[in-house]
Amino acid sequence: MEKTKDKILVVIPAYNEAENIEKVLKEIKKDIDYADILVINDCSKDNTYEIVRKNGVKCITNVFNMRYAMAVQVGIKYAYQNGYDYVIQMDGDGQHIASEAEKLYKEAKKTNADIVIGSRYLKDMGYPCPLFRRIGTKMFEKMIKLFTKRRIADPLSGFQCLNRSVIEKYAKIGNYPEFPDANLVIEMLLTGYKIVEVPVKMRLRESGESMHSGIIKPIKYMIEQLYTCIIIVVKYAGKRRFKL
Amino acid sequence: MKNIYFVILALVILVYMVQSVRKNSLSIKTSFWWIIGCLLILVLAIWPKSIDWFANMLGIDYPPALFLTLCVVFLWVVDFKYSKKIQEQQEKITDLAQELSIVRAKIKDMEKKEKNK
């Protein structure tokens, strides 16, 4: 376990994750003990909050259910206000492995990248990805390539490490996207931010329901993402690339 | 007067709008476009030939088509204006709620520390 002078915050949005959150927190405390942990409890109906507090971890409970992206932004705003140098975004369902988070941070330091994405598909890491999701990811990968000439193999990964300049930008975005995935990757690349991918291992969630479960939700998600990506490309077409 | 019903309708809506502004349930700024709409209906109800004259001037053969087009454009503009306003307010509400969540957690922590002293 490496010691560092940087202030690092692990942000975990959680909604009804009582069955998974304890294991996630224990792993983080064990594998990245130099980082602070912040759980954003998005008005869970179960006892997520009590479990988090029992484990001695800081928890912010949203005043109403804001959904995944806005919950993440709460954590980013907290990091911005409290002077954190890096934020590591992790899901509360146990998909993201704490020992892999260190890879992201190390890569951010080594390459001076603004965003480091933990990728399931950069190398075959044995992630048993459902077919529909794999097709969707491939489609977004091609789209990013088309618009930015960059290959991002896993733009839908929520396992990311953000540096201070990205923390500042995300904290100040008024209309933070509902699904900060391929659309945000395209926007950040078009505005000159450096994005790097690192192959990481991930697990499938053990219990609880994914926010993309069912049939209608993924279709709606794909249509919204496609539309948002096109609008973002139109928005930044011909504009000078800049960084905050 | 054939269009008396439309005159009455326009007057009723106009009075309702003015009353809403007086009771502060509609702001002066918001009421502007609705009052303008009411006044237009009133003008058309009193002088229905004015739409014929206007359509003739624009080279439109069927005057009611002009009236309906103007109505659709008017409603579309108002709706677009409010869509923008809703988006703006949604962003402000989210920002306030996020700040409130952070501040509330800070207060809880402070209270806990105070208790433990």
Side-chain angles (χ1 to χ4, degrees):
Chain A
M1 277 155 261
E2 198 170 287
K3 293 286 162 215
T4 173
K5 277 181 190 170
D6 291 325
K7 269 183 89 180
I8 306 166
L9 182 70
V10 179
V11 171
I12 309 167
Y15 177 67
N16 293 345
E17 296 290 0
E19 288 176 52
N20 304 309
I21 199 79
E22 190 158 27
K23 194 181 160 196
V24 173
L25 296 176
K26 280 183 177 158
E27 275 185 10
I28 297 170
K29 279 181 177 179
K30 186 173 146 277
D31 294 324
I32 33 174
D33 61 344
Y34 47 87
D36 293 335
I37 311 170
L38 174 68
V39 174
I40 313 298
N41 172 34
D42 201 14
C43 281
S44 297
K45 288 172 189 146
D46 59 13
N47 58 338
T48 301
Y49 177 79
E50 285 74 21
I51 294 170
V52 174
R53 294 303 287 167
K54 193 185 86 189
N55 280 275
V57 170
K58 190 168 177 61
C59 186
I60 291 176
T61 298
N62 285 340
V63 286
F64 57 81
N65 182 272
M66 296 181 192
R67 307 193 66 187
Y68 176 81
M70 296 305 157
V72 170
Q73 202 192 22
V74 170
I76 292 170
K77 281 186 178 178
Y78 178 88
Y80 177 63
Q81 289 168 8
N82 291 280
Y84 281 92
D85 302 302
Y86 289 93
V87 159
I88 298 174
Q89 278 175 230
M90 280 179 78
D91 287 354
D93 57 7
Q95 261 193 297
H96 302 152
I97 302 165
S99 56
E100 298 287 280
E102 192 166 36
K103 276 191 195 171
L104 306 186
Y105 168 63
K106 277 185 178 170
E107 190 69 15
K109 289 293 279 182
K110 196 177 95 186
T111 59
N112 215 12
D114 297 305
I115 300 170
V116 179
I117 300 175
S119 173
R120 288 162 281 197
Y121 313 120
L122 203 60
K123 278 184 194 165
D124 185 17
M125 303 296 276
Y127 180 74
C129 183
L131 180 72
F132 188 74
R133 182 174 290 187
R134 190 75 193 97
I135 295 168
T137 308
K138 203 78 197 156
M139 205 180 79
F140 287 120
E141 184 196 324
K142 296 274 177 219
M143 207 157 80
I144 292 169
K145 179 95 179 154
L146 176 75
F147 294 136
T148 67
K149 315 273 180 258
R150 279 285 316 277
R151 186 192 173 221
I152 302 290
D154 194 2
L156 310 188
S157 169
F159 195 22
Q160 298 185 0
C161 179
L162 319 172
N163 75 359
R164 182 74 192 169
S165 70
V166 180
I167 294 172
E168 187 179 354
K169 180 167 167 94
Y170 286 1
K172 288 177 178 174
I173 290 181
N175 52 350
Y176 193 70
E178 193 183 346
F179 296 108
D181 296 325
N183 48 346
L184 205 53
V185 169
I186 292 178
E187 182 166 352
M188 296 307 275
L189 285 171
L190 290 178
T191 46
Y193 286 83
K194 186 178 176 185
I195 301 181
V196 169
E197 270 189 300
V198 172
V200 291
K201 284 181 199 151
M202 277 193 208
R203 293 183 285 241
L204 281 174
R205 65 158 48 236
E206 283 164 11
S207 55
E209 195 185 291
S210 159
M211 62 178 168
H212 296 306
S213 59
I215 301 166
I216 304 293
K217 275 188 205 168
I219 294 171
K220 201 173 152 238
Y221 167 79
M222 291 292 278
I223 295 168
E224 276 179 16
Q225 275 289 309
L226 269 172
Y227 173 73
T228 316
C229 289
I230 292 165
I231 293 293
I232 280 169
V233 172
V234 172
K235 187 177 160 188
Y236 289 102
K239 276 192 187 175
R240 198 166 66 87
R241 293 180 183 199
F242 63 91
K243 208 172 141 180
L244 190 80
Chain B
M1 198 174 168
K2 274 186 209 169
N3 295 314
I4 189 73
Y5 300 115
F6 288 103
V7 174
I8 292 167
L9 181 73
L11 283 173
V12 167
I13 299 171
L14 194 63
V15 169
Y16 179 71
M17 292 287 168
V18 173
Q19 275 298 100
S20 298
V21 174
R22 288 182 64 194
K23 284 179 186 169
N24 289 327
S25 57
L26 190 70
S27 75
I28 295 171
K29 205 179 160 191
T30 319
S31 68
F32 179 77
W33 286 105
W34 298 116
I35 300 272
I36 292 289
C38 282
L39 289 173
L40 276 176
I41 294 172
L42 193 64
V43 167
L44 288 174
I46 297 170
W47 296 286
K49 291 281 173 201
S50 58
I51 194 82
D52 295 353
W53 173 81
F54 201 48
N56 199 30
M57 216 174 71
L58 292 171
I60 297 166
D61 292 337
Y62 187 58
L66 174 67
F67 176 70
L68 289 173
T69 308
L70 286 176
C71 283
V72 169
V73 170
F74 173 76
L75 290 174
W76 192 84
V77 169
V78 172
D79 191 32
F80 184 70
K81 204 167 117 60
Y82 286 115
S83 288
K84 278 171 76 176
K85 201 84 194 159
I86 288 168
Q87 169 66 27
E88 212 176 275
Q89 289 185 344
Q90 211 168 13
E91 279 173 26
K92 283 180 186 167
I93 290 168
T94 307
D95 190 39
L96 277 172
Q98 287 176 325
E99 290 296 334
L100 180 61
S101 304
I102 295 170
V103 170
R104 219 163 62 162
K106 268 186 192 166
I107 292 170
K108 260 189 183 178
D109 278 355
M110 279 160 69
E111 280 174 351
K112 212 178 163 190
K113 274 180 194 165
E114 200 69 29
K115 264 185 190 176
N116 292 340
K117 266 185 185 176

